[in-house]
Amino acid sequence: MGGVVSMIRSFGSTVAAVAGQSRRVVRAVRRRLGWDLHSTISAFTPCGPVRGRILLAHRIDGFVLDSAHPRLARHNQFHEAIALTEALLERGFAVDVVSHRRERPTPRGDYDLFVGTRGNFEMLASRLDRSCIRVVALDTTHWLYNNHASLGRSLEVQNRRGITPERDIAIERNRAIEAADYGLMLGNDFVYDTYAFAGTPIFELINPTIAEWDWPKAKDHGAVRKRFLWLSSRGLAHKGLGRVLEAFGGMPDLHLTVCGPLEEEPNFCRAYERELRHCRNIEVRGWIDVTGPDFTALADSVLAHIFPSCAEAQAGSVINCMGAGLIPMVSREVGLDVSPRFGIEMADPSVQGIRDAVRALSDRPAADLQAMARQAWLTARTRHSRARYKTIVGSTIERILRDEVDAAAGGFIRLADRYCERELLPERPPAPTRARQA
C-alpha cells in the first residue's frame, strides 16, 4: 500500500503485522480455519496524534491481497478505498476498515464519522452512536434508476436478437441515501439527479486512475484513425457492447477490438455470434490487465474508447483509457463531463448514432485527433490522479467534521463550488474534529 498506511491488520480479536510473504500465510490460515473475509477488521493508526476515529466500510480486497494481485487491476474501487484510507491517516485520523458486506456488529460505536458504500450502509449506521456523522460513498446511479436502465438494455438484446442475456447489473435495494447525513459521489449532474429526491447534501468527487501511463510519443494518430476499442467488465448489454458490435458489424472498413470477460456471458455471445466470430473487422481479446504491457501496446494501436453504457458514475474503464491516451466516446449516462476538447459525448448512443459518431471522429485531421488524445491524457493524469483524489476527499471529510455544510439545505456541491481555478484547496492547519450533536 505504501505511504502512511501501516500494515497492521486485526482479524477478529487478533492483531497481526503482516507484509509480503506473511500476508499469504494469513490468507492461507484464514482459508483453513474457515474465517469469514467479510468479518475482517483492518485497524490503522496515524503516525502522529490521533485527531479522531473513522469507520470505513468499503471493498477490502486491496487491504488483504498482495499489491501485485491481478484482481486489483479489475476495478478502481479497490484503489479508491486504499487512497481514502491514506488520505484520512495523513490528516491524523485513526481508521477502522471493514467489508462493505459486513453483517457482524461494528468494532465499536463511538466513531466521529462513518463512511460506507451502499450495501449494508443502513444496517451498519444503525449500530453507531447517534453523534456519529454518517456519510455514504456513491459509486453509481441510484439503484432504482440503474436497475430499470439495465433491464431495459437486456430487453433490447432480447427484442433485437431473440436471446435473453444472462446478466444485467442489478443493485440491491437499499436506503443508504435516505439514512446518510451526507454523500460523497463519483459523477456529475446526471448521477446526482438520480439521488436528488432524498435531499441529502452530496459532494462531487473524482474517480482516480489505477495507474499512470506515459504519453505515447511515437503514436501516429492518423494511422490509427480507423481503430477503436470497447473495454469494460461484466454486464455486457448494460455497458453497450451489443450496440457497439452491431454498429461495427455494418462498418467493415473500421476496426473494433473488444476487451472484457465475454466467457462469463455465453448467451450474450450467442446473440452476437455473427459479429464476434464472423466479422473480420472485429477482434475479441477477452479480459486484459490495464496495468500491464499488453494494454499499453493495445492503447498505442487504437484511437478511441467507445462506451455507451446505460448507467455509470465516472466509469473507471473510461478514466483509465483516457489515462492511456485514448479519446473517450461515451453516452451521457456514463456520468462524466466530457469536453469537446478531449472527447465525444454521444447525444444519440443508438446503433446508428454510434456509427455516425465514429465516422465523424475518424474523418478529422490527424493533428486534431492527436490534440484531443493529448488533452484526454492530461485530464486523466491531472484531474483524475490519485494524489488529487486524496486531497479532495480528505478536505471534504474535514469540511464535514468542521460542520461547514448545512445538512438541511441539501443539494449537489460541485468541485467548482469548493475549489479555486486550480481545483486544489490550500492546506489548512489541523482543527479538532467535532461530531454532530445528537
Side-chain angles (χ1 to χ4, degrees):
M1 270 193 268
V4 295
V5 177
S6 60
M7 304 311 300
I8 303 299
R9 301 287 190 268
S10 173
F11 302 104
S13 60
T14 303
V15 178
V18 293
Q21 180 64 30
S22 60
R23 280 202 204 176
R24 291 186 285 273
V25 172
V26 170
R27 288 201 306 277
V29 170
R30 186 187 303 122
R31 283 196 297 270
R32 286 200 298 271
L33 297 181
W35 291 357
D36 179 9
L37 178 63
H38 295 302
S39 297
T40 297
I41 304 167
S42 300
F44 301 99
T45 304
C47 296
V50 176
R51 299 176 54 208
R53 185 169 293 277
I54 294 177
L55 175 65
L56 174 63
H58 213 292
R59 301 288 292 270
I60 62 172
D61 306 59
F63 298 94
V64 298
L65 296 176
D66 293 325
S67 59
H69 195 286
R71 175 170 173 75
L72 300 184
R74 286 183 169 264
H75 208 289
N76 289 45
Q77 283 184 341
F78 307 138
H79 302 264
E80 180 189 345
I82 294 174
L84 173 55
T85 303
E86 289 179 346
L88 296 173
L89 286 168
E90 289 166 4
R91 290 172 182 266
F93 298 101
V95 185
D96 289 345
V97 182
V98 299
S99 169
H100 66 305
R101 298 190 181 280
R102 182 182 180 87
E103 296 181 352
R104 293 187 180 184
T106 55
R108 54 197 295 169
D110 60 340
Y111 292 98
D112 295 291
L113 184 138
F114 165 51
V115 181
T117 57
R118 61 184 181 268
N120 285 344
F121 183 89
E122 186 178 15
M123 182 271 291
L124 292 173
S126 69
R127 296 175 174 176
L128 303 174
D129 292 354
R130 291 184 61 194
S131 61
C132 177
I133 301 172
R134 293 148 169 82
V135 182
V136 61
L138 305 169
D139 61 349
T140 188
T141 56
H142 186 268
W143 67 267
L144 197 56
Y145 181 95
N146 175 90
N147 293 359
H148 179 268
S150 193
L151 287 169
R153 285 290 180 91
S154 292
L155 183 61
E156 177 182 303
V157 173
Q158 184 192 72
N159 288 338
R160 296 180 75 89
R161 297 296 172 116
I163 296 174
T164 305
E166 54 268 273
R167 177 170 296 197
D168 45 71
I169 297 182
I171 297 176
E172 69 280 7
R173 285 176 173 264
N174 65 82
R175 297 187 69 259
I177 191 62
E178 293 94 336
D181 299 310
Y182 302 94
L184 304 175
M185 190 193 79
L186 306 179
N188 55 10
D189 290 299
F190 159 74
V191 183
Y192 169 76
D193 285 345
T194 70
Y195 292 102
F197 73 94
T200 305
I202 295 179
F203 290 87
E204 177 189 10
L205 297 184
I206 54 97
N207 196 358
T209 59
I210 67 174
E212 283 193 350
W213 295 265
D214 294 331
W215 170 249
K217 297 179 181 179
K219 185 172 181 177
D220 184 343
H221 288 80
V224 301
R225 65 169 65 249
K226 293 180 179 289
R227 301 183 66 85
F228 296 80
L229 171 69
W230 182 94
L231 179 148
S232 191
S233 57
R234 63 184 180 87
L236 305 179
H238 177 110
K239 299 186 177 182
L241 179 57
R243 294 185 179 189
V244 174
L245 288 172
E246 195 166 335
F248 276 82
M251 299 187 295
D253 56 318
L254 298 174
H255 187 273
L256 175 69
T257 301
V258 177
C259 292
L262 275 71
E263 71 283 354
E264 296 179 8
E265 302 185 35
N267 288 348
F268 178 92
C269 293
R270 189 159 56 88
Y272 291 93
E273 182 177 7
R274 184 186 76 84
E275 289 86 354
L276 291 170
R277 293 192 176 187
H278 304 294
C279 288
R280 300 180 64 180
N281 64 316
I282 297 177
E283 174 189 4
V284 178
R285 294 278 295 268
W287 179 258
I288 190 169
D289 180 354
V290 297
T291 66
D294 289 346
F295 172 72
T296 301
L298 174 61
D300 288 350
S301 70
V302 298
L303 176 67
H305 175 225
I306 308 177
F307 197 63
S309 183
C310 65
E312 306 286 341
Q314 287 189 3
S317 61
V318 177
I319 302 300
N320 291 325
C321 284
M322 287 171 57
L326 300 186
I327 298 170
M329 302 184 69
V330 301
S331 55
R332 172 176 173 269
E333 292 80 5
V334 165
L336 177 69
D337 290 330
V338 175
S339 164
R341 295 177 59 206
F342 66 80
I344 306 293
E345 182 180 297
M346 294 179 287
D348 174 19
S350 66
V351 172
Q352 188 56 50
I354 292 170
R355 286 174 180 162
D356 294 342
V358 165
R359 288 206 177 278
L361 182 65
S362 65
D363 287 342
R364 292 192 184 187
D368 290 355
L369 299 177
Q370 183 179 31
M372 290 179 69
R374 174 77 178 183
Q375 189 59 45
W377 175 80
L378 286 171
T379 299
R381 195 174 183 87
T382 55
R383 181 177 174 82
H384 294 274
S385 70
R386 182 189 181 106
R388 185 167 179 271
Y389 170 83
K390 289 170 62 175
T391 297
I392 292 171
V393 75
S395 65
T396 301
I397 294 296
E398 294 263 19
R399 182 175 177 181
I400 291 172
L401 285 167
R402 287 195 296 262
D403 204 18
E404 294 181 0
V405 182
D406 182 3
F412 186 27
I413 305 157
R414 297 295 308 257
L415 289 175
D417 298 330
R418 358 201 271 272
Y419 289 88
C420 62
E421 185 65 26
R422 295 177 62 188
E423 297 182 327
L424 287 175
L425 281 175
E427 287 295 326
R428 303 171 70 166
T433 60
R434 178 162 59 87
R436 179 173 56 86
Q437 295 300 310

